Amino acid sequence: AVVVVSPQRRVLHLIQRQAQAMTCWLDQENARASAHLAVVSAGEWATQNVETAIQLSETFLADLGFDLRLPAVRTLVRHLVRILAASAQATGHDLAFTDLYAIGQSTQTLRAFLADLQSLVDGPSGTSGQGLDPEARDSISYLSDQLDGEVGYVQVVTTLSLLRAVLSPLRSGAVHVLCRPPFLNVGQALSRPSLLLVPLTNADFPQHDRFLAAMLTLALDQARTANPNLRLALHLHDAYRYLSDAGQLRIDLQGQD
């Protein structure tokens, strides 16, 4: 499988026409025809676990600028992601980027979700779920205690606000569609000869391009975690455009002039 990231659509279309392989796009400018990505799609739970989903989510949020160096913030985020991942796994649903955004809307949203999870604690009735594991139950208790305490409540409010900020590109219609089902099973798609074409301009790393890049990184990390023997090539066309210090370098050069 080959992933090609390029700022030039003309190049990507030329590759698609000449390639003899299954081809899909990750394209925010044509979201409905694009592949849609989840943190973990429902079909991928067979090769993924909750702990891996937490690690992938932490890397994704860090790529967006979410500072997880503070122990209290990282602990809270891990508990938030754990309850989302564990409930999705137990019920056989997708864990989507929009789920992370939704739970960050307010403390009321979080309280309502925690209340809904009570039906899974002892095993859901009428669903395919198997109930929540002890770690997820501990996370429910931890978050409930935080919401009920004065200091903890302030910490929750602050963390949810930061979560909404870094996930704000999801307010964009195009990016939002990319994070809605039906989701691509990335592991299956990249386990055979195929092309994933990603038009990413990275013009001074705007917000939406950064979000798309973080989504792509998470998807590739997830596929490699599920299959360590995956044969995968990543090609960056005009790679200098994706250097993290390119914008600052231009500013420094202009300052010298």
Side-chain angles (χ1 to χ4, degrees), residues 170-226:
L170 282 169
R171 292 199 297 261
S172 163
V175 177
H176 187 82
V177 171
L178 288 182
C179 301
R180 300 289 297 171
F183 293 117
L184 175 70
N185 188 317
V186 180
Q188 284 185 1
L190 298 181
S191 64
R192 55 184 180 269
S194 59
L195 270 174
L196 177 58
L197 305 177
V198 187
L200 190 65
T201 60
N202 199 33
D204 288 331
F205 221 29
Q207 190 178 27
H208 290 184
D209 269 6
R210 184 171 190 174
F211 194 89
L212 195 67
M215 285 176 58
L216 176 62
T217 300
L218 183 147
L220 297 182
D221 283 348
Q222 180 197 90
R224 291 173 59 249
T225 299

Side-chain angles (χ1 to χ4, degrees), residues 12-28:
L12 295 177
H13 281 294
L14 180 63
I15 292 172
Q16 182 183 28
R17 286 197 299 270
Q18 295 185 350
Q20 301 295 317
M22 183 191 76
T23 304
C24 56
W25 289 69
L26 179 60
D27 185 2
Q28 60 183 336

Side-chain angles (χ1 to χ4, degrees), residues 22 35 157 161 233:
M22 183 191 76
V157 170
S161 177

